[in-house]
Amino acid sequence: MSQALKGVRILDFTHVQSGPTCTQLLAWFGADVIKIERPGVGDITRGQLQDIPNVDSLYFTMLNHNKRSITLDTKNPKGKEVLTALIKQCDVLVENFGPGVLDRMGFPWEKIQSINPKMIVASIKGFGPGPYEDCKVYENVAQCTGGAASTTGFRDGPPLVTGAQIGDSGTGLHLALGIVTALYHRTHSGKGQRVTAAMQDGVLNLARVKLRDQQRLAHGPLKEYSQFGEGIPFGEATPRAGNDSGGGQPGRILKCKGWENDPNAYIYFITQAPVWEKICDVIGEPDWKTHPDYAKPVARLPRLNEIFARIEQWTMTKTKFEAMDILNKDDIPCGPILSMKELSEDKSLRATGTVVEVDHPTRGKYLSVGNPIKLSDSPADVKRSPLLGEHTDEILREVLGFSDHQVADIHDSGALDPPRKQAAE
Ligand code: COA
């Protein structure tokens, strides 16, 4: 078995979360990802949210597996020469700098193309062309500007951001798909191209069912939203829908046994129409199978609050796992609310490599997510993230073919080393 992207070399100029998620995926698939970091500083996340002093944070380690790290000051003239040499040797350059940074560094698209016409240049920005194109953006800004926040939360509360990093990791996923698509295109065009993914666009793409609902509003109320059953009129925009299902089968989060003390003793319960009769039997309401107020989905829509309140009376008599077992026997779609603690201890997620334990030289053992995308013929072994500049000399020698003398010269130029060392000199 070989790795799917073996032989692809990525020049990784990414930092923080969105870009690193993308290049980590490519690295898991076997690409040689060379992360360029500022000497002495590195990716800012190395030092953010540190749980152990002077040790690369989990924030960094969990986003930068399977990569190599080279420190390079790309504003130093010698550093620019090294960067030019790397552009010649790599297939893809990935970056998520603020708008205009690559141009200011002296490496606009046209220049990169003239150095290596086959190079694919992939970028994440907060916004696409338009009034906000020059703005810097972080996760929650993208969630708010991409439509997720206005449609998340409860109707009588403020907009909410979600814990899933749909702006950063979501856009990283979009960009990774763009990169492999451009790599495929290059196999017959022979040319590189630009790939861009804006975080606002990525979030909107993931929130598309809410854009669907926006248009449905023109034709009447959204009957599967609980506010319909509560007789509350709809406004001009898709409202926040609490835990209502976003699809055609009504669903809610319901309390389970122990909810008084356990914040995650809940289950998501979907009243899928084909199993309605089984639901009636399980909850002890067999009459609802034929009752005109409950038998048909359309009759149930104005009564969803009452129906879910009755189902919850039943779920509260079971733990979330007991309820899951009982309901699954009848093919009733449901899912316990799993905490991060439960997920980190889940044996099947460990067995599939979705949760992995990694050993790190300064941190020791820690848990991370592994590659959630499984290829049958291309295993993705998770390797620890690199220390800052761990592979600088190795890359100069192996990838660029520089001699010991040349490597020493570049060190002398100050292009590779931290300011501390330069100051000491
Ligand atoms: N050598 C020398 N300089 C380097 C360097 C290197 N190896 N790597 C980066 N730099 C410099 C850049 O040249 C730039 O300097 P300049 O502003 O003088 O041109 C600076 O470091 C980096 O700028 P920037 O990317 O804007 O960083 P920031 O910390 O100010 O902003 C973000 C961070 C995330 C807000 C911004 O990068 C951004 O909006 N990115 C796009 C959207 C995105 O991905 N957001 C989500 C992040 S999870």
Side-chain angles (χ1 to χ4, degrees):
M1 290 204 283
S2 68
Q3 291 191 292
L5 292 181
K6 194 172 165 45
V8 174
R9 190 166 272 157
I10 312 274
L11 198 50
D12 182 11
F13 253 135
T14 67
H15 65 157
V16 200
Q17 183 181 168
S18 65
T21 355
C22 165
T23 50
Q24 177 170 261
L25 270 174
L26 302 173
W28 277 337
F29 286 131
D32 178 13
V33 175
I34 298 172
K35 184 168 174 107
I36 299 193
E37 298 184 80
R38 253 186 298 184
V41 183
D43 188 323
I44 194 168
T45 60
R46 285 187 186 267
Q48 283 180 335
L49 312 178
Q50 274 186 345
D51 53 331
I52 305 173
N54 304 319
V55 167
D56 284 339
S57 69
L58 287 166
Y59 195 5
F60 176 83
T61 53
M62 291 175 72
L63 287 162
N64 290 284
H65 291 116
N66 297 50
K67 304 180 185 180
R68 299 199 274 175
S69 165
I70 174 173
T71 49
L72 187 68
D73 180 353
T74 56
K75 290 181 174 162
N76 170 303
K78 202 74 183 169
K80 286 188 196 298
E81 280 177 32
V82 173
L83 178 56
T84 304
L86 281 167
I87 290 173
K88 285 184 186 153
Q89 296 301 323
C90 291
D91 300 284
V92 187
L93 184 154
V94 191
E95 61 95 16
N96 68 309
F97 288 131
V101 167
L102 211 51
D103 295 359
R104 288 201 292 280
M105 215 181 255
F107 289 87
W109 158 246
E110 296 75 16
K111 171 146 182 204
I112 295 171
Q113 230 197 354
S114 72
I115 299 168
N116 179 359
K118 291 182 78 177
M119 175 160 264
I120 291 156
V121 177
S123 305
I124 290 177
K125 296 288 167 261
F127 296 95
Y132 304 125
E133 63 187 312
D134 291 329
C135 299
K136 291 185 175 181
V137 166
Y138 284 106
E139 170 69 46
N140 287 346
V141 175
Q143 289 198 25
C144 292
T145 57
S150 73
T151 53
T152 302
F154 287 90
R155 202 181 50 252
D156 50 3
L160 270 192
V161 294
T162 77
Q165 305 284 282
I166 56 176
D168 280 339
S169 290
T171 311
L173 265 166
H174 283 86
L175 193 74
L177 178 59
I179 290 169
V180 290
T181 305
L183 278 168
Y184 178 72
H185 187 249
R186 197 179 73 169
T187 59
H188 46 92
S189 74
K191 288 194 312 187
Q193 60 181 303
R194 289 177 91 168
V195 180
T196 51
M199 293 168 73
Q200 181 185 41
D201 302 10
V203 171
L204 179 58
N205 184 38
L206 297 176
R208 66 174 55 200
V209 298
K210 301 299 179 179
L211 184 58
R212 172 202 68 195
D213 291 351
Q214 179 64 41
Q215 296 169 87
R216 290 173 60 223
L217 269 177
H219 304 284
L222 306 171
K223 293 185 178 165
E224 76 284 11
Y225 280 54
S226 35
Q227 87 176 69
F228 172 69
E230 290 159 15
I232 296 169
F234 285 79
E236 285 184 347
T238 308
R240 293 187 269 286
N243 292 315
D244 294 348
S245 155
Q249 309 287 352
R252 294 283 173 83
I253 288 182
L254 305 177
K255 291 171 184 158
C256 290
K257 194 192 240 177
W259 66 274
E260 299 90 338
N261 301 313
D262 176 355
N264 294 306
Y266 290 82
I267 193 164
Y268 202 91
F269 192 110
I270 297 178
T271 54
Q272 193 202 16
V275 290
W276 175 247
E277 296 199 353
K278 290 176 179 172
I279 294 170
C280 296
D281 286 334
V282 166
I283 64 169
E285 294 289 349
D287 293 350
W288 281 7
K289 290 191 269 189
T290 49
H291 194 293
D293 284 352
Y294 305 101
K296 297 269 181 272
V298 70
R300 294 196 287 274
L301 285 175
R303 300 178 177 79
L304 289 177
N305 281 359
E306 176 207 339
I307 288 168
F308 279 112
R310 176 64 190 93
I311 298 172
E312 191 171 57
Q313 277 177 8
W314 178 81
T315 56
M316 283 166 69
T317 66
K318 313 284 174 210
T319 69
K320 61 187 177 186
F321 295 112
E322 288 167 351
M324 174 87 171
D325 283 347
I326 295 166
L327 297 170
N328 268 331
K329 285 196 182 79
D330 281 331
D331 281 337
I332 299 167
C334 62
I337 307 304
L338 295 181
S339 69
M340 279 298 152
K341 181 169 188 300
E342 287 162 333
L343 288 164
S344 63
E345 292 163 357
D346 187 304
K347 288 194 176 59
S348 56
L349 293 177
R350 297 283 187 108
T352 57
T354 295
V355 175
V356 289
E357 194 174 77
V358 186
D359 206 358
H360 185 275
T362 54
R363 151 173 301 283
K365 290 193 166 45
Y366 66 95
L367 276 193
S368 185
V369 288
N371 193 343
I373 305 167
K374 322 288 184 196
L375 300 192
S376 63
D377 285 352
S378 182
D381 294 331
V382 178
K383 300 199 186 90
R384 69 165 174 87
S385 58
L387 301 173
L388 179 60
E390 184 176 346
H391 306 97
T392 301
D393 288 5
E394 174 184 303
I395 288 162
L396 295 178
R397 290 198 176 91
E398 271 180 22
V399 178
L400 301 180
F402 288 168
S403 64
D404 290 350
H405 180 68
Q406 285 173 302
V407 172
D409 261 5
I410 303 166
H411 275 287
D412 285 346
S413 74
L416 306 174
D417 298 306
R420 190 166 54 80
K421 189 173 171 207
Q422 288 167 35
E425 285 163 356

